[in-house]
Amino acid sequence: MYTETPDIIPFPASFKNEMLTPAQLETLKGGTLRLLDEVGVHFPCRRALEIFAEHGACVDPKSQIVRIPPDLVQKAMSTAPRSFLLGGREERLDMLLDGNYCYLTTDGTGVHTVDLETREMRPSRKEDVALMARVSDALPFVGFFWPPVSAQDYGITAPLHQCHAGLTNTLKHVRGGMTVYPQLAPYVVEMATTVVGSAEALRKRSPICANFCTIAPLAHDAHSLDTALVYAEAGIPMSFMAMTTMGSTAPATVLGAMVEGDAEVISAMVLIQLAYPGTPVFHSVYVSMMDPRTGGYIAHAPAPVSMIAVQLAHAWGVPSLGGGSLASDAKDIGWQSGMDAGFGAALISHYGGELCGYLGLVGSSMILYPEQIILEHEACEFAYEILHGFHFDEVDMALDVIAAVGPGSHFLRQRHTRKHIRDHRLSRVFRQQGDDSAWRDPREVALEEFKLISETHHPQPLPKEVLSELDTI
């Protein structure tokens, strides 16, 4: 028996704030253009070097450094679409990245899982990816599925199995394209094509997107470049994600780390647009920092870096993967992770990134506690209700009811109370009482909710012949 996947609930982007002025954004872009033109970026990929050379960039074959003149950058970026579609298995689950809505996603891709039954931490497995895809399918605020953890039980073919687990366990869009050995990339394309039925359909409504991380400072990974070119040829949307760390792999200032990351991302986008103009690309820069006391990693810098990154993406004329994040540096579920989730949920619409949220992981996106996604989804629901606006109806002032009760009495007997007291949504996780009337730990309730969804929600599967073909691939 199968259960229906609920419609996606996106956040409206009408509340977004502008941290930088247009002039300041142009100054940032100017810094990127200068870095690309005068310093260059390392491209350890023969085909990438050939593409740049053919289009007039300055290519040093020995160092593999490419310097890209500003006019070539601007020309290439002009072919990148401002909006495009990320397809679900059903059209009602499609996401249009046009700046009007913010779609939330699961976080990815960690390596540790707290086992649902034993509660012990262990290396993540493909079954974890499949389980999280199925539970995410039931959560309406999760717009698309990014494998939260990796299928480490499949070694170097893990990305293929993560894609397979996503496509076969949710009707929502799947971040199924990751960096793989280039020889494996065509199999990702083949899986996506099998799901939609044809190469033409893949270009119109791809069921997967891809992500490639740059290497700070100012470098790329060879496998990522080769893989990205394979996906781009097929028309699969992709993001390039820079993860600059202030103090170690980037300058110890927000703007320095931001412009360095932007140069990495834009250089890769230019390559893709030169090779396959019009390929859907979205922009992502995450600025973290080095702990000045320990040298450790702090994922969330105490600065409005995400808001600046979203503005910068839009200034380049492409959608953004960024904005309000629910992820936490906390190693466990507790006060810190709750604060990070609540604060991140409240800022989603204010940041205005087309894709954001990142639910389900703690420990700087390394550790999966299954119940965390339920807690964070609840935080998003609260934030949505506040941001969605308030319907003002004069009748709801209930002046006649107040007059009928009068001073010093109560409203328990009123028909109006019986009619409206259940209009207000009460949390399924918080403020729950046990049989002894004592308040229950929300984490305990969230774990129960996760297990209930995992046992009862079974989305409509792909046709048998498609499942068989995916298994073969």
Side-chain angles (χ1 to χ4, degrees):
M1 183 175 179
Y2 308 115
T3 45
E4 185 175 1
T5 301
D7 290 339
I8 295 169
I9 302 177
F11 273 61
S14 53
F15 301 99
K16 61 185 176 184
N17 293 324
E18 303 295 326
M19 182 62 59
L20 301 182
T21 66
Q24 290 170 332
L25 286 170
E26 285 303 311
T27 298
L28 262 183
K29 290 177 62 179
T32 295
L33 293 171
R34 179 178 173 182
L35 288 177
L36 295 179
D37 186 31
E38 298 179 8
V39 181
V41 178
H42 183 223
F43 279 87
C45 168
R46 180 184 57 79
R47 189 177 172 204
L49 297 177
E50 291 173 350
I51 292 169
F52 277 119
E54 289 170 3
H55 287 85
C58 181
V59 176
D60 184 340
K62 186 175 181 180
S63 67
Q64 299 178 319
I65 300 294
V66 176
R67 291 189 288 113
I68 316 171
D71 59 339
L72 184 57
V73 175
Q74 300 284 15
K75 179 182 177 181
M77 290 301 295
S78 69
T79 67
R82 173 58 184 88
S83 65
F84 50 85
L85 198 72
L86 300 182
R89 200 188 301 171
E90 298 177 2
E91 288 189 15
R92 66 184 178 90
L93 300 173
D94 288 352
M95 299 180 297
L96 179 62
L97 309 187
D98 62 357
N100 290 316
Y101 293 100
C102 308
Y103 296 95
L104 276 61
T105 175
T106 44
D107 201 357
T109 307
V111 295
H112 306 296
T113 296
V114 176
D115 192 275
L116 188 61
E117 301 302 332
T118 68
R119 309 305 291 162
E120 294 181 354
M121 190 180 297
R122 56 167 173 76
S124 56
R125 303 192 288 254
K126 182 178 181 177
E127 65 187 61
D128 302 319
V129 181
L131 175 61
M132 292 304 296
R134 193 155 48 81
V135 171
S136 297
D137 188 85
L139 301 176
F141 284 97
V142 177
F144 80 107
F145 179 70
W146 186 349
V149 288
S150 63
Q152 296 181 69
D153 45 339
Y154 283 91
I156 63 171
T157 63
L160 300 184
H161 288 272
Q162 290 155 207
C163 182
H164 178 269
L167 289 172
T168 55
N169 284 280
T170 179
L171 275 65
K172 298 177 180 179
H173 187 81
V174 175
R175 170 143 285 193
M178 307 294 284
T179 298
V180 293
Y181 281 90
Q183 301 93 318
L184 299 177
Y187 295 111
V188 174
V189 176
E190 188 178 354
M191 279 195 285
T193 306
T194 299
V195 169
V196 296
S198 69
E200 181 181 2
L202 180 63
R203 290 186 175 278
K204 290 181 178 179
R205 292 181 59 247
S206 175
I208 69 169
C209 64
N211 183 67
F212 304 99
C213 288
T214 63
I215 300 176
L218 300 177
H220 292 286
D221 169 70
H223 289 162
S224 292
L225 296 171
D226 283 324
T227 301
L229 288 166
V230 172
Y231 295 164
E233 184 178 16
I236 293 174
M238 65 187 68
S239 59
F240 293 94
M241 179 180 290
M243 303 181 74
T244 52
T245 302
M246 291 187 290
S248 58
T249 63
T253 57
V254 168
L255 293 181
M258 186 64 65
V259 73
E260 178 190 301
D262 188 49
E264 294 166 13
V265 168
I266 294 301
S267 68
M269 287 185 173
V270 168
L271 169 67
I272 296 301
Q273 295 305 314
L274 292 177
Y276 301 101
T279 297
V281 290
F282 41 106
H283 181 287
S284 186
V285 176
Y286 279 94
V287 175
S288 58
M289 67 179 293
M290 179 186 70
D291 190 322
R293 296 163 298 185
T294 67
Y297 177 74
I298 300 175
H300 298 285
V305 291
S306 293
M307 192 175 292
I308 294 173
V310 171
Q311 277 193 266
L312 190 53
H314 294 166
W316 282 109
V318 293
S320 170
L321 171 66
S325 173
L326 280 73
S328 176
D329 283 322
K331 300 300 182 185
D332 199 349
I333 299 176
W335 186 91
Q336 181 184 350
S337 64
M339 183 195 73
D340 291 341
F343 190 64
L347 291 176
I348 287 168
S349 283
H350 294 281
Y351 282 177
E354 283 83 355
L355 299 171
C356 57
Y358 319 118
L359 287 73
L361 296 183
V362 294
S364 302
S365 299
M366 297 296 285
I367 305 170
L368 170 65
Y369 283 86
E371 64 269 35
Q372 179 73 2
I373 195 171
I374 303 298
L375 296 167
E376 293 180 342
H377 190 270
E378 192 72 12
C380 290
E381 196 161 355
F382 276 123
Y384 179 84
E385 289 172 352
I386 294 171
L387 294 168
H388 193 61
F390 181 78
H391 176 69
F392 185 93
D393 189 337
E394 187 176 348
V395 173
D396 288 340
M397 290 193 293
L399 296 178
D400 56 337
V401 181
I402 298 172
V405 171
S409 187
H410 62 76
F411 292 80
L412 296 176
R413 295 183 190 174
Q414 296 298 311
R415 179 177 297 176
H416 182 275
T417 300
R418 296 194 297 274
K419 180 180 179 181
H420 291 287
I421 192 62
R422 290 183 176 84
D423 291 348
H424 310 281
R425 188 192 75 86
L426 297 179
S427 172
R428 298 183 304 276
V429 176
F430 305 113
R431 296 182 61 81
Q432 292 290 325
Q433 291 176 292
D435 295 337
D436 58 357
S437 296
W439 293 112
R440 299 181 64 199
D441 183 346
R443 181 172 174 177
E444 175 187 336
V445 179
L447 184 58
E448 286 184 4
E449 177 80 6
F450 184 95
K451 289 183 177 180
L452 178 64
I453 294 174
S454 69
E455 292 166 1
T456 60
H457 183 68
H458 302 283
Q460 181 72 35
L462 289 160
K464 289 183 178 179
E465 63 273 16
V466 174
L467 288 172
S468 177
E469 181 64 22
L470 291 179
D471 288 343
T472 301
I473 296 170

